[in-house]
């Protein structure tokens, strides 16, 4: 892949959205069209909806997001204005995996069990006790349908009256994996909820977290959100305090980082959240469990360094169940990028595309 595209956006939130939309208008319109089409397909959502039904359901989500993060919704409106898309379309592009959960649980039981269930992000955290410098790390692979890879970008945000931030994301999406200049860092991996509902999209949660200056306020951004769908959030501050949060639409489970290493993949680990998870087939369970186990094994190396963490994101030890996921039938999901962050030093390493075939680049706040 070529060097990761970096876009600087600054000013008030609406202006930042306009800047983002103007810079990548064609990309945003292309990705939006694809994601709305996927939302109409039973393979992704279990329900066969028309395009208008999908947009109508997105419209039900708008008041929840406006109430949760009005500034960030202005940013989405700026993107919509610059790209000549509707706010509903831009919201779907941002919250796609949450919105899939919303559709899955809409009105009645799904007509079919969705065929697509392999969304293979692997997240991890390590405490400062594992490093020579005493600084903790947080990172992940970001896996999605392989056609999302060309849209990966890095946003460097300089908002008025809020911390500056970096986020690895895709064109049109206001944030996915990020860190701010207060040393608050956050990542995610998808969970497949059966309890989705019109609600707050996960990308607004990410960016609201990046507006905070302490980890308790950042944690509250997750706990207080009426979520549209399920994700596991990993959260860390500059002092090495960390949390893993399985956050479903109807229930959340918070786990403080106590061990020297933590890893998570794509299924719930606790009874409260498992109770509202979709039924997962054996292959999906194996995929998640094998990646998580491999990550935990590799995280036992000492001392942990950025290069070790980069190698973990590139690991292909387990074939189709590897941490670094290759686009293969029948799901054609792949690792579209990855990020590693050291909040204490505000260092951010990111790679565009497969980590086993592309080089990380270094950024800093």
């Amino acid at each position: 892949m070529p060097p990761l595209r970096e876009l600087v956006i600054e000013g008030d939130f609406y202006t930042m959205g306009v800047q983002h939309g103007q810079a990548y208008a064609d990309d945003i319109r292309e990705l939006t069209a694809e994601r709305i089409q996927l939302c109409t397909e039973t393979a992704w959502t279990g329900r066969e909806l028309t395009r208008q039904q999908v947009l109508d359901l997105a419209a039900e989500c708008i008041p929840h997001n406006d109430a949760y993060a009005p500034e960030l919704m202005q940013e989405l409106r700026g993107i919509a204005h610059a790209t000549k898309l509707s706010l509903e379309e831009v919201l779907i592009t941002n919250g796609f995996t949450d919105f899939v959960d919303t559709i899955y649980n809409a009105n009645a039981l799904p007509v079919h069990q969705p065929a697509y269930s392999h969304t293979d992000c692997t997240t991890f955290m390590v405490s400062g006790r594992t490093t020579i410098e005493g600084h903790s790390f947080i990172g992940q692979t970001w896996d999605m349908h392989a056609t999302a890879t060309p849209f990966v970008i890095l946003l460097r945000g300089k908002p008025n009256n809020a911390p500056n931030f970096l986020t690895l994301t895709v064109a049109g999406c206001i944030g996915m994996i990020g860190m701010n200049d207060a040393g608050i860092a956050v990542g995610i991996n998808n969970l497949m909820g059966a309890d989705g509902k019109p609600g707050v999209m996960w990308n607004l949660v990410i960016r609201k977290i990046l507006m905070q200056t302490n980890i308790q306020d950042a944690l509250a951004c997750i706990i207080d959100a009426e979520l549209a769908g399920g994700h596991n959030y990993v959260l860390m501050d500059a002092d090495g305090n960390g949390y893993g949060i399985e956050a479903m639409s109807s229930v959340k489970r918070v786990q403080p980082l106590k061990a020297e290493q933590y890893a998570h993949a794509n299924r719930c680990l606790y009874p409260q959240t498992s109770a509202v998870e979709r039924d997962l087939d054996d292959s999906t369970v194996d995929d998640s469990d094998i990646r998580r186990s491999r990550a935990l094994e590799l995280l036992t190396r000492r001392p942990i360094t950025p290069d070790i963490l980069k190698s973990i994101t590139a690991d292909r030890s387990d074939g189709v169940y590897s941490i670094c996921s290759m686009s293969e039938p029948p799901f054609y999901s792949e690792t579209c990028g990855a990020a590693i962050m050291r909040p204490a030093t505000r260092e951010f390493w990111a790679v565009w595309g497969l980590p086993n075939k592309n080089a990380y680049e270094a950024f800093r706040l």
Side-chain angles (χ1 to χ4, degrees):
M1 300 295 290
L4 180 58
R5 299 173 293 175
E6 180 179 355
L7 176 66
V8 178
I9 54 175
E10 55 190 329
D12 63 72
F13 289 92
Y14 183 84
T15 299
M16 291 198 300
V18 170
Q19 293 166 353
H20 185 169
Q22 289 175 336
Y24 294 115
D26 290 342
D27 280 358
I28 295 168
R29 285 191 285 263
E30 183 178 347
L31 182 60
T32 297
E34 179 181 33
R35 290 193 157 182
I36 291 175
Q37 176 60 37
L38 294 176
C39 286
T40 68
E41 297 176 2
T42 57
W44 273 86
T45 67
R47 298 181 63 79
E48 188 171 345
L49 300 183
T50 66
R51 187 177 191 278
Q52 189 58 53
Q53 287 173 317
V54 168
L55 294 175
D56 288 346
L57 191 56
E60 293 184 42
C61 296
I62 288 175
H64 298 277
N65 288 273
D66 274 330
Y68 175 77
E71 308 97 327
L72 299 174
M73 285 297 284
Q74 284 300 102
E75 191 167 334
L76 264 63
R77 288 181 169 91
I79 294 172
H81 174 80
T83 57
K84 296 180 171 56
L85 293 168
S86 69
L87 182 57
E88 289 84 356
E89 290 171 311
V90 174
L91 191 62
I92 292 169
T93 300
N94 275 260
F96 173 65
T97 47
D98 267 355
F99 192 60
V100 165
D101 289 352
T102 304
I103 296 173
Y104 178 91
N105 196 39
N107 301 323
L109 291 176
V111 178
H112 306 284
Q113 188 67 17
Y116 188 96
S117 58
H118 287 242
T119 50
D120 305 319
C121 304
T122 307
T123 56
F124 52 82
M125 296 184 284
V126 290
S127 81
R129 300 190 299 276
T130 68
T131 70
I132 292 174
E133 302 87 352
H135 297 151
S136 301
F137 287 93
I138 179 173
Q140 70 169 96
T141 60
W142 180 69
D143 299 16
M144 184 46 60
H145 49 87
T147 52
T149 299
F151 302 101
V152 172
I153 63 172
L154 185 81
L155 284 182
R156 184 181 291 271
K158 301 179 179 180
N160 294 345
N161 306 312
N164 293 346
F165 65 88
L166 288 167
T167 180
L168 185 69
T169 186
V170 290
C173 179
I174 63 172
M176 298 195 314
I177 307 156
M179 180 171 64
N180 69 18
D181 62 10
I184 302 296
V186 62
I188 48 84
N189 49 278
N190 192 46
L191 297 173
M192 287 161 276
D195 60 341
K197 62 185 178 184
V200 174
M201 299 301 180
W202 67 273
N203 317 86
L204 276 79
V205 178
I206 296 295
R207 279 288 305 281
K208 190 168 182 177
I209 286 169
L210 297 179
M211 294 169 65
Q212 311 308 311
T213 58
N214 68 79
I215 198 166
Q216 292 306 316
D217 287 346
L219 182 60
C221 293
I222 303 169
I223 301 304
D224 296 342
E226 293 292 332
L227 296 168
H231 278 83
N232 181 70
Y233 294 79
V234 287
L235 184 63
M236 182 173 279
D237 69 7
D239 295 325
N241 300 301
Y243 293 93
I245 307 98
E246 291 186 356
M248 312 298 276
S249 293
S250 60
V251 64
K252 302 177 180 77
R253 174 59 157 77
V254 178
Q255 179 63 44
L257 176 63
K258 295 179 180 178
E260 290 189 343
Q261 60 269 336
Y262 165 101
H264 204 289
N266 297 109
R267 76 180 187 100
C268 296
L269 302 178
Y270 304 103
Q272 308 97 302
T273 46
S274 295
V276 294
E277 188 174 33
R278 294 183 220 165
D279 292 333
L280 305 179
D281 62 34
D282 291 343
S283 176
T284 302
V285 172
D286 289 344
D287 180 33
S288 182
D289 288 352
I290 290 171
R291 282 184 290 109
R292 179 174 179 266
S293 294
R294 179 67 66 183
L296 288 171
E297 174 192 338
L298 297 175
L299 288 168
T300 61
R301 300 176 189 175
R302 297 292 182 270
I304 289 291
T305 65
D307 285 343
I308 285 177
L309 297 177
K310 292 174 188 177
S311 72
I312 292 173
T313 67
D315 188 80
R316 285 287 301 164
S317 298
D318 299 295
V320 295
Y321 295 149
S322 294
I323 292 170
C324 181
S325 177
M326 310 286 283
S327 179
E328 298 171 290
F331 301 111
Y332 298 99
S333 170
E334 75 175 15
T335 298
C336 305
I340 297 162
M341 297 166 281
R342 181 157 55 188
T345 60
R346 314 307 193 259
E347 290 173 281
F348 190 114
W349 295 269
V351 60
W352 180 9
L354 293 164
N356 67 332
K357 295 182 180 296
N358 297 282
Y360 272 85
E361 300 173 57
F363 304 89
R364 196 166 198 155
L365 284 159

